[in-house]
Amino acid sequence: MTSSARPRPTHCWADPLGKHAELDVGLVVAGYGRHYVVETPEGRRLNCHPRGKKSDCVVGDRVRWQPAGSNAGGEGVIEKIEPRRNLLYRQDEWRTKSFAANLDQLLVLVAAEPVFSESQLSRSLIAAEHARIPACLVLNKVDLPQADAARARLAPYRAMGYEMLELALKARPDESRERLSPRLEGRSTLVLGPSGTGKSTLINLMVPEARAQVGEVSQALNSGRHTTTATQWYWLDAERTTGLIDSPGFQEFGLRQVEAAQLPAYMPDLREYAGQCRFYNCTHLHEPGCGVRAAVEAGAISPSRYRIYGEIYAQLTQPAY
């Protein structure tokens, strides 16, 4: 799926009440708390705040905004978020963390070294399936001796139908750029993965002016203290049709937005056999005649994936206190 990442022109949005129809349109390219950087269709970036106390904008949102006042110093007020095509978010133990909206795809980055967490990988793919965002796996550092072991661990995901790119971002940058460019062109892509996998290397490889764009955000916010920890949108082309979004590295990836009973629907390997269960409300944990457990015993579902399913199911069915 390809689509332009450029915001729609001003004054083209149908507002049945007419309240926001004459406001300027913009694209959220960075966000820090209640501070957002909004880019206009002409490419100008300014610091904006949401109207009221609620702050639920994310990078990738198309918003309606207006100047904050004649003495606002180029700042604006976000009045409305336009309808989203999709929204990717996750939770840690304490709060929900929205990542980005209106995405065409995810690049889920893992590496041969350090050894990646299959639980984290599975959780990020479940979140993508839940949000109906196509995901592509990227195995980085394939020049290292540990690459074969990483490939073996990723074999179940390739068998599920996930596309996988193998790269050596530092060792073979030209080859990596050549392989990535067609996958990114004309799309809005979020790069997701834990720290140490090479996300910064990928961003700097594909966006030579990445530091300059971060500097623009810092200038818009009059601060640079957040620029290494927040989600950031980069343009890969002068026409601003190809967007690459960097996200902070994560250690946890909660899935509280997913209903436990629907979990197998977002795991392609389990989904294939869930319809073969004797009982329609089978949890795939202990019931007789379970198609999923039969597939595990037959080797069609990897034991590690089934173990991860059980862990996530247990978390999703814990009582909320």
Side-chain angles (χ1 to χ4, degrees):
M1 176 175 59
T2 52
S3 66
S4 171
R6 184 191 296 271
R8 287 181 284 175
T10 309
H11 310 321
C12 70
W13 178 55
D15 181 354
L17 300 179
K19 181 179 180 181
H20 302 100
E22 297 304 313
L23 298 179
D24 289 324
V25 69
L27 170 70
V28 177
V29 296
Y32 313 94
R34 287 178 50 80
H35 299 265
Y36 299 94
V37 178
V38 173
E39 182 179 276
T40 69
E42 298 76 27
R44 183 169 65 97
R45 293 185 172 187
L46 68 158
N47 186 18
C48 290
H49 302 81
R51 175 76 66 186
K53 295 182 179 181
K54 190 174 181 181
S55 175
D56 58 358
C57 292
V58 296
V59 170
D61 271 332
R62 274 63 174 173
V63 297
R64 291 283 167 172
W65 67 276
Q66 64 179 342
S70 58
N71 298 320
E75 296 190 354
V77 178
I78 297 172
E79 298 286 354
K80 184 175 178 62
I81 301 172
E82 293 198 30
R84 295 161 169 154
R85 290 190 290 119
N86 52 54
L87 173 65
L88 184 74
Y89 60 99
R90 66 182 178 88
Q91 297 80 28
D92 60 17
E93 186 177 356
W94 305 109
R95 58 177 178 167
T96 298
K97 294 183 178 180
S98 299
F99 269 149
N102 303 313
L103 300 172
D104 292 319
Q105 65 179 344
L106 261 65
L107 288 187
V108 184
L109 194 62
V110 295
E113 178 66 30
V115 176
F116 63 87
S117 164
E118 192 177 351
S119 177
Q120 285 184 351
L121 171 61
S122 295
R123 289 167 182 268
S124 61
L125 292 175
I126 291 169
E129 293 269 354
H130 181 265
R132 298 183 179 179
I133 303 170
C136 174
L137 302 183
V138 178
L139 174 60
N140 187 26
K141 307 181 186 180
V142 295
D143 54 305
L144 299 181
Q146 299 91 333
D148 285 340
R151 288 189 188 98
R153 296 184 67 207
L154 290 171
Y157 299 87
R158 195 193 292 270
M160 286 178 230
Y162 285 108
E163 182 180 356
M164 190 170 80
L165 296 177
E166 294 192 2
L167 304 175
L169 290 166
K170 279 191 175 180
R172 299 194 288 269
D174 292 339
E175 175 187 312
S176 298
R177 187 186 299 108
E178 184 177 349
R179 297 199 65 193
L180 278 169
S181 293
R183 159 58 64 174
L184 301 177
E185 184 177 1
R187 301 175 180 177
S188 303
T189 304
L190 176 70
V191 183
L192 187 64
S195 300
T197 55
K199 287 197 289 95
S200 296
T201 303
L202 188 152
I203 296 294
N204 291 328
L205 177 66
M206 302 306 298
V207 194
E209 279 112 28
R211 292 184 180 179
Q213 292 192 36
V214 169
E216 291 175 10
V217 170
S218 298
Q219 185 176 6
L221 293 172
N222 295 317
S223 172
R225 65 184 183 274
H226 298 294
T227 53
T228 60
T229 59
T231 305
Q232 168 78 41
W233 180 294
Y234 302 95
W235 292 114
L236 273 63
D237 57 337
E239 296 76 19
R240 292 184 293 138
T241 61
T242 301
L244 189 62
I245 304 111
D246 187 17
S247 63
F250 58 83
Q251 300 302 322
E252 298 182 19
F253 206 108
L255 293 166
R256 298 171 197 261
Q257 75 273 26
V258 176
E259 294 183 14
Q262 294 300 314
L263 180 58
Y266 306 121
M267 302 180 72
D269 47 350
L270 272 71
R271 182 172 62 218
E272 183 177 352
Y273 298 98
Q276 300 178 15
C277 296
R278 181 186 304 175
F279 302 104
Y280 76 93
N281 59 348
C282 183
T283 65
H284 317 300
L285 297 175
H286 52 74
E287 295 87 348
C290 174
V292 170
R293 288 195 294 123
V296 175
E297 293 173 3
I301 297 175
S302 73
S304 63
R305 286 280 296 175
Y306 182 68
R307 173 183 54 79
I308 290 168
Y309 165 77
E311 292 173 354
I312 297 174
Y313 187 92
Q315 292 174 359
L316 295 179
T317 52
Q318 282 181 349
Y321 295 103

